[in-house]
Amino acid sequence: MKQVVCVAAGLAWAAVCPAQLTREQKAADFGQLAALYAKNFAPYEWKRETLHYDLFDLAPWMDRVARSKDDLEFYEICAEYVSRFESAHDVFSVFSSFSAELPFAADIYDGKVLIDFIARSRLPAAEYRFQTGDELVSIDGKRAGDLIRELERYGISSNPRSAGRSAAGLLTFRPQWLIPRAHEIGENAEITVRRASGDLETYSIPWIKSGEPVTSVGPVPSPR
């Protein structure tokens, strides 16, 4: 839904402000987001019956919004609300140019997370010996499979297999327009790789960061 993206972009225009949205502003913005679905989301009843998720049941969401400590936590709640519909056409987007990237990529093959691209201009083979086809076991101590399940809410697709593959792409590419707290990532990623021989190897790889992160949105003027 294009309307969902517009709401997020509008919220983030004031990102240069150092302060946070007020509790009332977050409640109003979340209400507007929910209203877009209430008025435009045709498969509401189908999703309610198949996913047991009722978009009109806003009480628990509004409680979380009221308790959110900052604008980025509020954004995370909005992103989760949208992802619960499990609709490949919908995404909650933050107006940000920031991204962090590792110079390799991974995907899911036969249930395993395998490296399928390496930028050798940044990861020379003499220093980074892993190869395409090797298994990505973990990043910063978290198993790749567990990270994929955490990232799936940002990469909703038409079925679980596609959602997992989309999330696998986010293992090494973290855009803030999609992941509100992407800028909080460290300077280096500690990755563990299982080579074709079965040996485990650990490497420290710098994140390549670009763009300007959004750290807060408000307060912005409220209608009277």
Side-chain angles (χ1 to χ4, degrees):
M1 292 175 60
K2 293 182 180 178
Q3 294 95 331
V4 176
V5 177
C6 290
V7 169
L11 288 174
W13 274 114
V16 293
C17 299
Q20 307 293 321
L21 290 167
T22 66
R23 178 173 175 172
E24 292 75 17
Q25 287 171 339
K26 287 186 285 188
D29 286 341
F30 190 86
Q32 184 181 1
L33 173 63
L36 285 171
Y37 276 96
K39 294 178 181 179
N40 299 291
F41 194 65
Y44 157 68
E45 292 184 351
W46 174 49
K47 293 290 186 176
R48 185 189 61 191
E49 297 301 320
T50 58
L51 302 178
H52 307 291
Y53 176 50
D54 190 343
L55 68 87
F56 293 139
D57 184 13
L58 293 184
W61 293 102
M62 296 302 284
D63 180 61
R64 290 178 59 187
V65 167
R67 291 185 286 106
S68 60
K69 298 180 179 62
D70 54 40
D71 292 346
L72 294 181
E73 183 179 352
F74 170 58
Y75 277 163
E76 291 280 0
I77 294 170
C78 292
E80 183 181 346
Y81 176 80
V82 173
S83 72
R84 289 286 299 276
F85 293 102
E86 297 188 10
S87 174
H89 303 287
D90 296 12
V91 64
F92 182 85
S93 177
V94 177
F95 196 85
S96 171
S97 62
F98 177 87
S99 66
E101 184 175 8
L102 295 174
F104 72 94
D107 204 341
I108 301 174
Y109 298 88
D110 296 328
K112 293 184 178 181
V113 183
L114 304 183
I115 295 169
D116 60 2
F117 168 77
I118 304 171
R120 284 303 183 193
S121 60
R122 290 186 175 272
L123 298 175
E127 185 176 356
Y128 300 92
R129 297 184 298 275
F130 58 87
Q131 302 288 330
T132 56
D134 289 343
E135 181 182 0
L136 178 61
V137 176
S138 65
I139 299 178
D140 294 332
K142 286 189 175 183
R143 294 188 59 83
D146 294 337
L147 278 173
I148 285 174
R149 283 186 286 274
E150 291 180 15
L151 293 167
E152 278 183 347
R153 58 178 167 167
Y154 305 115
I156 296 299
S157 296
S158 56
N159 57 71
R161 183 175 182 180
S162 295
R165 294 191 63 199
S166 295
L170 296 176
L171 290 171
T172 58
F173 177 60
R174 311 285 179 88
Q176 194 186 24
W177 70 265
L178 190 61
I179 305 173
R181 294 192 181 276
H183 69 293
E184 296 179 355
I185 204 158
E187 294 302 315
N188 295 278
E190 300 292 326
I191 73 163
T192 299
V193 176
R194 178 176 286 109
R195 303 296 306 279
S197 63
D199 295 337
L200 293 176
E201 298 176 354
T202 301
Y203 300 89
S204 179
I205 302 177
W207 285 98
I208 304 167
K209 300 179 181 181
S210 62
E212 292 295 327
V214 171
T215 58
S216 63
V217 178
V220 295
S222 294
R224 296 185 179 181

